[in-house]
Amino acid sequence: MLLRAKLAAAALLLLAMGASSAASSAAPAPADPDQEMGLEELLRQPLKEVPRDVEVSTASRFTQSAAQAPSTTYVITANEIARFGFRNISDILRALPGLYTTSDGFFSYVGARGLGRPGDLNTRLLFLIDGMRVNENVYDAALLGGDFFLDAELIERVEFTPGPGSALYGNNAFLGVVNVMSKRADKLGGAELRASRDSLGLQQARISLGHRSEAGWEGWLAASEARQDHIALPYETPPEAVNAQRELLWTNSKRLFGSFNAGDWAFRAGYSEAKLGAPSYRAESMPAQFDQAYILSDNSFVALNHERSLGPDWDLFASVSAKRSNYRDRFPSVDPQSGQQRLFGTTSRGRWSNWDLRLSTRRWADHRLMAGLELQNDAEMRILTGLEGEPALQEFFGDNRRVGIFVQDEWQIADKQQLILGLRRDSSKVADPSINPRLAWVWSGVSDATLRLMYGSAFRAPNLNEFALNSSWEVALPKPERVRTLEAAWDQALTPQLQYRVSVFASRLLDLIELNQVDLPVYENSRPLRNYGSELELERRWDQGARLRMGLSLQRSRDEQGAGLSNSPAALFKLFYSQPIWGDTLQLSWQSFAMSQRQTAAQSLPGYWLNNVNLLWRPRLDVDLSLGFYNLGNTRVIDRPRVDQSASQQPGRSVQLALSWRFGS
């Protein structure tokens, strides 16, 4: 399947290149060079060369050139989000090398480098918003569905640094770090309205207001809502029961996000709410009858950052944030004695704060030193199960405080060589201290090329959810899981318009925490695993504005007995091509995604190949109109994102029309 996908992609790519050449000869005449172009018009002009000096911050926790960063960092920009019609954070993550996503209709799941086990709650990737940790404290989950804090159109860029990151970030930075950066007021000045609707019935609306003051402060506020009143059933069901169940399957989500910057201070606040309605079979009903069940998640945060220079060679960064997460699922049941319907389910509540202090200096020649202290204080961690309105049948509490201390030195050992040394110690109330080193050598001895050799380790401690499940079966809590990785990466610009990247990695995973799917449904540590892989990416640009990016990710994961992992694709292939049809005014983009076959404990999941096409029309600087075709071939995609559910079919072909209108900027 994957081979056929590659061949077809290659054939279409050749056609696209031919179209690009044809378009170049038929392109409109260039604008009068004497005509002055506005700032926004300049920013929208397509780059004719592959940028080499892109600035990134995730790899080292400060801004630097991607070519000099100690780890490979992949970037998706706001222009790419608009051009390819990415609808949400899940679409964006799927576009990044080595990542793959799925959904159960409410929660979105992401796997990295072959690790995306059914039931995993995104605990092995650390997610940041503007550098702030957003994994919650009960499940350690990253919320990437309707309860993610940012709409895709409010994102300025997304950075993904793969590989162990605990030497800088501590817990959860197991397979990598994803940093989602919001736009500033220069991109959201004035007012903006956006509305969209797709052929599956999903409706979305957003309004944002932004202002940049001559006094030096700026801010913006955005509110959005999405709803889908009827969702196609993702599983097989008797024809006579389809309508009754579909009426009870719906979703609704809301978001509110604000940003304010003044001098050295930055303030962020966000709120998200997602609700899913689902049919619940009424026991012993003939013919089958269904009642309304629902799942609700609401989350919020406030964060304050301060960054200042303490002198010509010293910089200070300090931040504090407070966060809250609530989850509830409710399923109807009938009391056998009274015959009344009651709601049974699980409630989880979390409240926590994060404190971050970093000091960096260039006081000593050829060295950039950074030291940091991080604290997470868990004010509330609770899971309750039982009937609504009555005392809980089961209740689990957590009491934890995490402290991390780290130091890093970027040492310029020669004109074209850097050595990066890092070490971090993490401690908590519930796990033994963990020490994680980092070592990287960066060499740029060849023009327009960079070689990186990297070693790092990472850990993830068990969370309250894993403790609660094991305690209910009177089974001991599993040990923290660990990973050690060696990686080599090479990137080179062969010409100003052609660049490639290649990396190879080898990881050893110890005590991986997994859910037992054979005996008792408890969490336990797996046998040691080996994970090998490589990632190849090629990027090409043309003078007329066309651009191509394609990548292939390969991996193999095996335990000591040669057994593979569940839901672990051996190969991912991704292709992104965009072609101006009429300058920046009208652009056509094509996205292709192929995944190889996967195995789970219950069944084999076939490989698939998806294609999306997006048409972006910008008749004026203040108006964007996009028409997106998703899963163009109506490919049947079967996934099993959860252990406790049967395999489900992902959405088929859909069409989305979206309109954005800006005014007063």
Side-chain angles (χ1 to χ4, degrees):
M1 175 64 184
L2 182 64
L3 178 59
R4 293 197 298 271
K6 292 180 191 174
L7 292 175
L12 288 171
L13 177 57
L14 291 174
L15 291 174
M17 289 181 176
S20 174
S21 300
S24 66
S25 60
D32 184 350
D34 296 327
Q35 182 178 352
E36 185 175 352
M37 189 176 291
L39 175 61
E40 188 166 353
E41 291 175 290
L42 286 170
L43 293 174
R44 282 187 173 186
Q45 295 307 300
L47 295 175
K48 299 178 181 179
E49 299 181 358
V50 179
R52 284 282 297 166
D53 295 326
V54 175
E55 289 190 337
V56 297
S57 60
T58 308
S60 293
R61 302 189 78 163
F62 56 77
T63 302
Q64 61 185 157
S65 166
Q68 298 300 316
S71 301
T72 301
T73 300
Y74 300 102
V75 180
I76 298 291
T77 66
N79 284 335
E80 292 172 306
I81 292 171
R83 186 181 306 115
F84 289 100
F86 296 144
R87 298 160 293 181
N88 46 50
I89 186 64
S90 184
D91 280 356
I92 298 171
L93 294 174
R94 176 178 285 185
L96 289 163
L99 299 185
Y100 53 102
T101 64
T102 187
S103 172
D104 60 10
F106 181 76
F107 194 86
S108 293
Y109 304 82
V110 58
R113 291 185 167 178
L115 267 76
R117 320 293 294 279
D120 283 358
L121 299 175
N122 309 328
T123 60
R124 297 186 180 98
L125 284 170
L126 177 63
F127 281 82
L128 313 172
I129 291 182
D130 295 324
M132 176 195 70
R133 170 188 288 264
V134 292
N135 292 58
E136 51 84 68
N137 72 333
V138 175
Y139 301 88
D140 271 338
L143 307 175
L144 306 176
D147 43 9
F148 187 69
F149 287 111
L150 279 167
D151 293 293
E153 304 80 34
L154 302 177
I155 296 173
E156 177 63 24
R157 58 196 280 122
V158 176
E159 295 182 5
F160 170 50
T161 301
S166 289
L168 270 183
Y169 291 98
N171 196 44
N172 299 116
F174 195 79
L175 299 174
V177 179
V178 177
N179 193 0
V180 181
M181 302 177 190
S182 61
K183 289 182 176 179
R184 298 286 295 266
D186 59 334
K187 302 289 182 67
L188 293 170
E192 179 174 319
L193 298 174
R194 178 179 172 86
S196 68
R197 182 183 175 92
D198 72 13
S199 56
L200 301 178
L202 177 62
Q203 307 171 69
Q204 302 178 80
R206 175 177 57 81
I207 182 172
S208 66
L209 301 170
H211 180 70
R212 171 174 277 190
S213 168
E214 295 182 358
W217 61 268
E218 64 174 56
W220 59 268
L221 181 68
S224 65
E225 182 173 3
R227 63 180 300 163
Q228 189 173 359
D229 294 332
H230 305 292
I231 301 175
L233 299 178
Y235 46 82
E236 294 184 0
T237 190
E240 63 274 11
V242 169
N243 291 335
Q245 293 189 60
R246 193 178 179 193
E247 290 292 323
L248 301 173
L249 189 58
W250 49 267
T251 183
N252 177 267
S253 62
K254 300 175 183 177
R255 294 186 179 104
L256 182 66
F257 195 96
S259 171
F260 179 82
N261 294 272
D264 298 332
W265 296 89
F267 175 79
R268 303 282 188 276
Y271 172 81
S272 70
E273 176 185 302
K275 190 172 185 179
L276 172 73
S280 176
Y281 172 67
R282 187 180 300 173
E284 300 180 0
S285 60
M286 292 297 292
Q289 298 183 35
F290 301 89
D291 296 311
Q292 182 71 76
Y294 69 87
I295 301 172
L296 175 64
S297 171
D298 64 274
N299 313 273
S300 61
F301 80 89
V302 293
L304 180 65
N305 300 343
H306 180 62
E307 191 169 5
R308 62 179 300 177
S309 174
L310 300 179
D313 301 316
W314 295 85
D315 295 298
L316 177 70
F317 174 86
S319 73
V320 59
S321 59
K323 309 181 183 79
R324 180 191 60 85
S325 177
N326 287 331
Y327 169 87
R328 298 188 294 278
D329 60 40
R330 296 293 183 267
F331 297 91
S333 63
V334 177
D335 189 317
Q337 296 181 350
S338 65
Q340 295 182 340
Q341 189 178 85
R342 306 291 300 275
L343 291 176
F344 181 89
T346 298
T347 299
S348 67
R349 292 197 290 266
R351 287 186 301 112
W352 69 102
S353 60
N354 292 98
W355 305 73
D356 184 4
L357 182 66
R358 301 197 298 269
L359 182 67
S360 60
T361 180
R362 291 182 177 271
R363 176 68 178 81
W364 295 274
D366 300 325
H367 291 269
R368 179 164 185 167
L369 285 165
M370 178 175 62
L373 171 65
E374 289 185 333
L375 169 68
Q376 176 169 315
N377 184 48
D378 294 310
E380 182 179 19
M381 302 166 66
R382 181 176 300 185
I383 299 176
L384 307 95
T385 302
L387 289 168
E388 192 170 66
E390 293 189 5
L393 298 176
Q394 285 186 317
E395 188 168 4
F396 301 94
F397 297 89
D399 178 21
N400 197 14
R401 178 181 291 112
R402 303 174 182 173
V403 179
I405 303 173
F406 66 91
V407 61
Q408 177 176 277
D409 181 21
E410 291 201 0
W411 179 15
Q412 192 76 39
I413 57 177
D415 183 42
K416 302 292 185 179
Q417 298 183 59
Q418 272 189 315
L419 188 65
I420 295 88
L421 305 166
L423 188 69
R424 174 166 171 145
R425 182 184 188 273
D426 284 273
S427 60
S428 70
K429 290 184 177 181
V430 299
D432 293 333
S434 178
I435 297 177
N436 293 279
R438 178 189 204 181
L439 175 64
W441 176 65
V442 181
W443 179 72
S444 53
V446 176
S447 178
D448 295 323
T450 303
L451 172 67
R452 296 178 180 86
L453 301 178
M454 298 160 279
Y455 169 80
S457 69
F459 80 103
R460 184 182 76 84
N463 54 54
L464 180 63
N465 173 56
E466 291 157 347
F467 166 79
L469 185 57
N470 283 21
S471 294
S472 64
W473 290 93
E474 299 182 350
V475 174
L477 189 67
K479 297 182 293 186
E481 55 187 18
R482 299 187 56 82
V483 61
R484 296 196 295 265
T485 299
L486 281 168
E487 184 167 355
W490 171 263
D491 63 80
Q492 183 178 16
L494 298 176
T495 72
Q497 295 182 320
L498 179 62
Q499 176 178 293
Y500 73 95
R501 291 174 171 175
V502 60
S503 64
V504 293
F505 61 88
S507 299
R508 180 170 172 79
L509 298 98
L510 303 172
D511 299 319
L512 196 69
I513 300 173
E514 61 180 5
L515 187 63
N516 186 327
Q517 300 180 44
V518 179
D519 301 318
L520 291 179
V522 296
Y523 288 98
E524 49 191 29
N525 296 113
S526 72
R527 294 186 294 264
L529 300 166
R530 295 282 188 179
N531 174 241
Y532 305 94
S534 64
E535 291 167 351
L536 173 65
E537 187 177 61
L538 178 72
E539 187 169 359
R540 174 77 162 92
R541 303 202 181 192
W542 286 266
D543 288 339
Q544 291 74 29
R547 61 181 66 181
L548 166 73
R549 178 168 60 86
M550 57 193 301
L552 176 65
S553 301
L554 304 172
Q555 70 83 28
R556 176 182 171 88
S557 301
R558 293 291 184 271
D559 64 17
E560 292 177 327
Q561 298 180 355
L565 296 179
S566 61
N567 195 33
S568 181
L572 301 173
F573 176 75
K574 304 180 183 184
L575 183 148
F576 304 88
Y577 180 80
S578 65
Q579 170 69 58
I581 297 177
W582 190 261
D584 181 67
T585 302
L586 187 62
Q587 296 190 43
L588 179 66
S589 300
W590 167 42
Q591 175 189 357
S592 188
F593 177 84
M595 178 187 288
S596 63
Q597 184 182 32
R598 295 157 291 155
Q599 301 292 332
T600 69
Q603 67 186 108
S604 173
L605 301 175
Y608 60 86
W609 180 30
L610 297 177
N611 287 281
N612 303 330
V613 174
N614 190 66
L615 189 66
L616 178 61
W617 181 38
R618 289 168 164 168
R620 305 187 325 217
L621 289 177
D622 58 350
V623 174
D624 286 4
L625 182 66
S626 68
L627 180 64
F629 300 85
Y630 301 92
N631 192 359
L632 190 62
N634 201 28
T635 303
R636 189 169 184 262
V637 179
I638 303 298
D639 241 317
R640 190 181 176 89
R642 293 181 56 173
V643 176
D644 58 346
Q645 291 184 352
S646 59
S648 61
Q649 183 171 332
Q650 300 299 299
R653 182 191 298 118
S654 66
V655 182
Q656 177 182 272
L657 181 65
L659 172 66
S660 296
W661 177 36
R662 295 171 293 278
F663 51 94
S665 57

